[in-house]
Amino acid sequence: MTVSLPKGTLPLGKKYFLKRHGLVTYVNGREEKNKVIYVPKRIGNLFNKMCEIENIKIAIFDSARGKKKRKSVKKVLENVDEYARKIQRILLTGSYHPSGYHERELYDSHSRKVRMICSTAYYPDQIIFWCVINATKPAIMRGMNDWCCGSIPERGIKHGYRAIKRWLDCDWKNTKYCLKLDIHHFYQSVPHGKLMVALKHKIKDKKMLGLLHTIVYSCQSGLPIGNYTSQWFANFYLEPLDHYIKQELHIKRYVRYVDDMVLFSSSKKQLHKAEKAIAQWLEKMGLALKGNYQIFPTKSHAIDFLGYQFQRNHIKLRKRNFLLLRKQYRKIKKLQSRNQPVPFHTAAGFISRYGQLQHCSAYWLRQKYRKLLKPLKEVIHNESKRLNFPSRTVI
């Protein structure tokens, strides 16, 4: 039964009328459902929550993931309660000072670059880095663009892959042209002062800001590649750029993977203007674009991004990744023909690249390579069984 209010009823009379007809509960429930929850611009009381023993233990277990065989990690895991109290004492007394970085050069086969990787001690540095990020994650994630990918939980390569694939297949108008950008020496160029100013806009806890200041200024310049905090600070520092591109430049389709960006538009002129505007914006933030930016039509040119080559209704594996996959395939076939065992890392690498192939338009290629999966999975199964149960003999 529909109840209509008489004309000219005042708000007070409306409340009384609804109460009389038994509609107050319904209205209150609807208001509760549609109530806007106010989120403060700056978040406080983070430091005290971070210093709780339970949160420190969570950080210890999180930071030990994948490193439990190291002596320094084993030592901490054998007595978690004691080391958690030590970390708590260091944080509460404000006596934490970074123990320095060990630098080593590492060749990145994906980008074909030699990168300077910085590593630091597990205790107390890496544990404190995890404590800080676990505590500040709500502040950092608040306001982050939906299509900001890379080094963020549940926002990896597949997250950006799905967006680009859907846009190219379903939104032909706004993906007619593509602009591909990259920031020059991004991690090494992030200015400490401007990063701290950005953090103060989100966090008002003075003790937490003091700890962040110590971590940020622990490196002479930029963000050290290899720190757990660096990947979060990098994405956070470019958050205003994401809003600038979406709201000021009016680019509807846009994905950023750390410092690599692709922008789509129906107008090539709009993309040229966007490139100049982004270059000026980055200059104010102490960064610079690479000169190898590209603007091209998506109809005739594939988008080389996230390890794939995207085209309308067709996706290929990046040529370099495919050549590595074929090289591994030939190596495994050669070992099998000689009745030699396939090493664990070779088997794991081939299965990982085959997983990339499953997201491409390569049916016959998958059929060719899937014959190797069963024996390779046995190699991985036996190796993991040997590592997890060393006292047992694997036949």
Side-chain angles (χ1 to χ4, degrees), residues 200-223:
K200 287 176 183 177
H201 284 159
K202 288 288 186 78
I203 300 168
K204 63 180 178 181
D205 192 323
K206 291 184 179 179
K207 290 183 179 179
M208 180 60 78
L209 288 171
L211 182 57
L212 288 169
H213 184 276
T214 303
I215 294 172
V216 168
Y217 281 89
S218 63
C219 187
Q220 291 183 356
S221 61
L223 299 173

Side-chain angles (χ1 to χ4, degrees), residues 4 16-17 20 24 42 47 61 142 166 212 272 280:
S4 57
Y16 175 77
F17 182 84
R20 183 181 174 183
V24 173
R42 300 171 72 208
F47 188 83
F61 290 120
R142 179 180 174 270
R166 184 169 69 250
L212 288 169
H272 277 289
Q280 292 174 0

Side-chain angles (χ1 to χ4, degrees), residues 329-342 371-376 379:
Y329 173 78
R330 289 177 176 176
K331 182 180 179 181
I332 292 168
K333 293 293 286 185
K334 191 175 181 180
L335 290 171
Q336 288 179 342
S337 64
R338 295 178 179 177
N339 293 324
Q340 294 179 354
V342 178
K371 299 173 185 177
L372 293 179
L373 294 182
K374 189 174 180 180
L376 295 181
V379 171

Side-chain angles (χ1 to χ4, degrees), residues 127-170:
I127 298 173
I128 289 179
F129 293 163
W130 276 83
C131 287
V132 169
I133 294 302
N134 287 347
T136 58
K137 197 180 292 184
I140 294 175
M141 291 285 290
R142 179 180 174 270
M144 187 176 285
N145 182 34
D146 292 337
W147 304 114
C148 167
C149 313
S151 303
I152 300 172
E154 300 181 1
R155 290 198 195 182
I157 289 175
K158 193 178 286 187
H159 186 70
Y161 167 93
R162 288 171 179 163
I164 296 174
K165 182 178 183 297
R166 184 169 69 250
W167 296 341
L168 288 175
D169 291 348
C170 303

Side-chain angles (χ1 to χ4, degrees), residues 242-292:
D242 299 335
H243 292 290
Y244 177 70
I245 290 172
K246 298 284 286 184
Q247 297 169 10
E248 301 295 330
L249 302 181
H250 305 290
I251 301 294
K252 291 184 178 179
R253 308 302 185 195
Y254 160 69
V255 175
R256 177 173 63 82
Y257 189 84
V258 190
D259 61 334
D260 295 334
M261 296 168 273
V262 286
L263 293 78
F264 299 95
S265 176
S266 59
S267 168
K268 189 186 289 187
K269 186 177 179 181
Q270 185 186 20
L271 292 180
H272 277 289
K273 288 182 178 179
E275 187 274 328
K276 292 178 182 177
I278 292 169
Q280 292 174 0
W281 190 93
L282 289 173
E283 189 177 353
K284 294 177 184 177
M285 300 297 290
L287 304 172
L289 279 179
K290 285 185 179 178
N292 59 349

